[in-house]
Amino acid sequence: MTDAPLKLFNSLTRELEAFQPIHEGEARVYTCGPTVYNYQHIGNMRAYIFADTLGRTLSHKGLKLSHVINITDVGHLTSDADAGDDKMEKAAAAQGKSAWDIARYYQEVFEADLDRLNVRKPAHPRATDYVTSMIEWGKQMEEKHCYELESGLYFDVSTVPDYGRLARAVTEDGEGRIDEVEGKRNAADFAIWRKTPPGETRQMEWDSPWGKGAPGWHLECSVMSAELLGHPFDIHTGGIDHREIHHPNEIAQNQAHNCSSDSAARIWMHNNFLIDRRGKMSKSTGEFLVLQTLVDRGYHPLAYRMMCLQAHYRSELEFSWEGLEAALVRLKRMVILAERLQDALPQPEAEHPKFAPALEKFETAIADDLNTPIALTALEDALSIKKVDAGIKRAVVEAMDEVLGLELFSLTRADLRLRPKTAEISEGEIEEALTRRKTARAEKDFAKSDAIRDELAAKGVEVMDGDPLGWEWKLG
Ligand code: AMP
Ligand code: ZN
């Protein structure tokens, strides 16, 4: 394949930058993971599909990838600005379970969803396993950068150079932030340690030099990225909301801990939001879609991955069921074309001039800050090239799919059939009725064939004679 140098959009400089690994032949990526007090909605999953596409691209470029997605199982308050309740403790109280059980349950669901979306398995460290290191960081930063209040240990953002440069925020008065903690020096100051209020016991609490309590949410990512990837490391990712508070705070901690003005990650990348008609999909507003809802409505999870890839990660993406159906149909067209190559032996070394334009287009697109919408069209170009060796074609398509992660050679058209959970009829029954109908038609018994069709229609099954995509039926 052509070797276009990889350019990525760095939120720190707001510019496209050529990617230069810090350690030769390696790429180290840290992605802010879920707070496991609830299900991750499909907007959250967009963040991980993006991070996975980035990881796959780095691997495609021949780099050995280390990828971490942390699990926030402690410390995240209902407001990012250090106010409100602890998300984990609140969910535990509401559901009558222990905070630890809640965390394990939602972590498992999250990992299963990553799997269903074909996100390659990254490392999943849990914040609660790093509390000792977080306390060490607190002790080390305390003297020069922190001050203690009744409620906890706070980081003074005025003690580091250029606080908030990632957000491009006016920091003097913490614009856009409400000062909800009594005694804070700057509105943007944030908790390193939150003390358990006197007379209370938290389910998740640890001893520390500042009393019993729990770490502030921002601290875990600084500590885990340093321990698992080293400082500096290559790329830090997250949703665009993190560009405003969480990541500036991580940077401030990294600067304080490392006694350096450096942010500790070379490139900071942020995916834009998944929105719907009401605006940004969010957990706190109550109603949101989880991957399982899509599956219950009959959609294969990879149709959602396709939907995400159809938009550039830095653009907003509006979710609609029509859009998801269009993505499903597009994926099915690809799978049908790939089916024809199923028996071919991939020939990765062999070349064919007919593939050169598609390959060039693919490589240029993916190297251009992960332009997946264009890369998808290059994959379709390759799939529709005719009169070429099937083994070469298979190798080209496989290599592209390795980056996009659509599993074109494992999926079958039957996997992509709409299968709503509410259906009153099983697939076996549908297939059986269709076989009876075929026989009736062969015997020219059209009354019987129409009767079977009506019988199926009454159960929500639309019979699709002569459908170009080969869908023989569809559940409405
Ligand atoms: P959380 O569990 O709230 O910490 O969020 C997990 C990840 O999802 C973070 O990187 C968020 O920035 C990201 N995120 C949250 N809402 C959305 C959304 N509607 N669309 C895309 N990413 C989101
Ligand atoms: Zn983080």
Side-chain angles (χ1 to χ4, degrees), residues 30 32 70 221 236 246-247 250:
Y30 187 93
C32 287
N70 69 297
C221 290
H236 196 312
H246 180 49
H247 289 169
E250 266 188 58

Side-chain angles (χ1 to χ4, degrees), residues 30-33 70 72 217-222 224 236-238 242 246-247 250 268:
Y30 187 93
T31 296
C32 287
N70 69 297
T72 298
W217 169 50
H218 311 290
L219 190 51
E220 65 178 84
C221 290
S222 285
M224 289 191 271
H236 196 312
T237 83
H242 287 348
H246 180 49
H247 289 169
E250 266 188 58
W268 293 76

Side-chain angles (χ1 to χ4, degrees), residues 433-457 463 465:
L434 285 177
T435 312
R436 277 193 286 123
R437 182 165 172 266
K438 262 188 204 140
T439 315
R441 276 160 64 118
E443 289 166 358
K444 303 221 176 338
D445 186 348
F446 297 114
K448 188 169 174 191
S449 135
D450 286 351
I452 297 172
R453 177 188 201 113
D454 294 345
E455 196 186 291
L456 285 168
V463 177
D465 292 325

Side-chain angles (χ1 to χ4, degrees), residues 155-327:
F155 190 100
D156 180 340
V157 299
S158 68
T159 63
V160 288
D162 261 351
Y163 173 79
R165 67 186 193 270
L166 179 66
R168 310 249 156 136
V170 182
T171 53
E172 287 75 39
D173 52 9
E175 196 181 57
R177 294 213 210 156
I178 314 155
D179 193 358
E180 290 174 87
V181 178
E182 177 107 12
K184 262 174 34 169
R185 291 182 190 161
N186 311 287
D189 290 353
F190 56 90
I192 291 292
W193 190 261
R194 288 183 299 109
K195 299 183 199 173
T196 305
E200 276 184 31
T201 311
R202 285 193 184 131
Q203 293 188 34
M204 291 179 156
E205 59 180 11
W206 292 260
D207 286 320
S208 84
W210 317 284
K212 254 197 188 7
W217 169 50
H218 311 290
L219 190 51
E220 65 178 84
C221 290
S222 285
V223 170
M224 289 191 271
S225 61
E227 284 204 12
L228 296 161
L229 301 175
H231 276 175
F233 61 98
D234 296 299
I235 304 174
H236 196 312
T237 83
I240 191 134
D241 46 339
H242 287 348
R243 199 181 68 184
E244 311 307 319
I245 299 179
H246 180 49
H247 289 169
N249 291 353
E250 266 188 58
I251 292 175
Q253 294 165 156
N254 296 345
Q255 290 176 324
H257 184 262
N258 301 346
C259 303
S260 152
S261 60
D262 191 69
S263 76
R266 275 261 171 95
I267 298 187
W268 293 76
M269 293 176 76
H270 297 97
N271 63 277
N272 212 322
F273 289 134
L274 181 79
I275 56 168
D276 60 19
R277 268 171 292 135
R278 288 161 308 167
K280 176 201 162 193
M281 195 167 286
S282 107
K283 276 181 273 195
S284 44
T285 54
E287 220 176 87
F288 58 77
L289 288 171
V290 296
L291 190 62
Q292 189 57 41
T293 322
L294 274 47
V295 172
D296 288 348
R297 287 250 204 144
Y299 292 89
H300 194 283
L302 289 177
Y304 180 62
R305 185 175 179 112
M306 170 65 103
M307 190 179 187
C308 290
L309 294 176
Q310 291 184 147
H312 189 261
Y313 75 90
R314 280 196 285 129
S315 310
E316 278 187 349
L317 168 62
E318 182 168 347
F319 180 82
S320 69
W321 291 103
E322 297 74 28
L324 185 63
E325 179 150 0

Side-chain angles (χ1 to χ4, degrees), residues 331-339 408 411-413 416:
L331 180 58
K332 188 169 181 199
R333 277 181 208 277
M334 290 188 184
V335 166
I336 288 171
L337 292 170
E339 263 171 17
L408 296 183
L411 279 178
T412 65
R413 61 179 89 184
L416 295 175

Side-chain angles (χ1 to χ4, degrees), residues 106-151:
Y106 290 112
Q107 180 178 347
E108 274 169 30
V109 176
F110 169 65
E111 286 171 0
D113 280 358
L114 288 185
D115 234 36
R116 296 201 281 183
L117 290 166
N118 202 24
V119 169
R120 296 193 303 181
K121 219 166 169 40
H124 286 312
R126 292 179 185 136
T128 46
D129 291 330
Y130 288 81
V131 175
T132 314
S133 301
M134 291 192 236
I135 293 171
E136 285 309 311
W137 272 57
K139 288 204 290 211
Q140 197 245 349
M141 296 188 294
E142 184 174 9
E143 193 189 324
K144 284 200 186 139
H145 302 278
C146 304
Y147 57 93
E148 204 173 333
L149 297 177
E150 227 173 80
S151 54

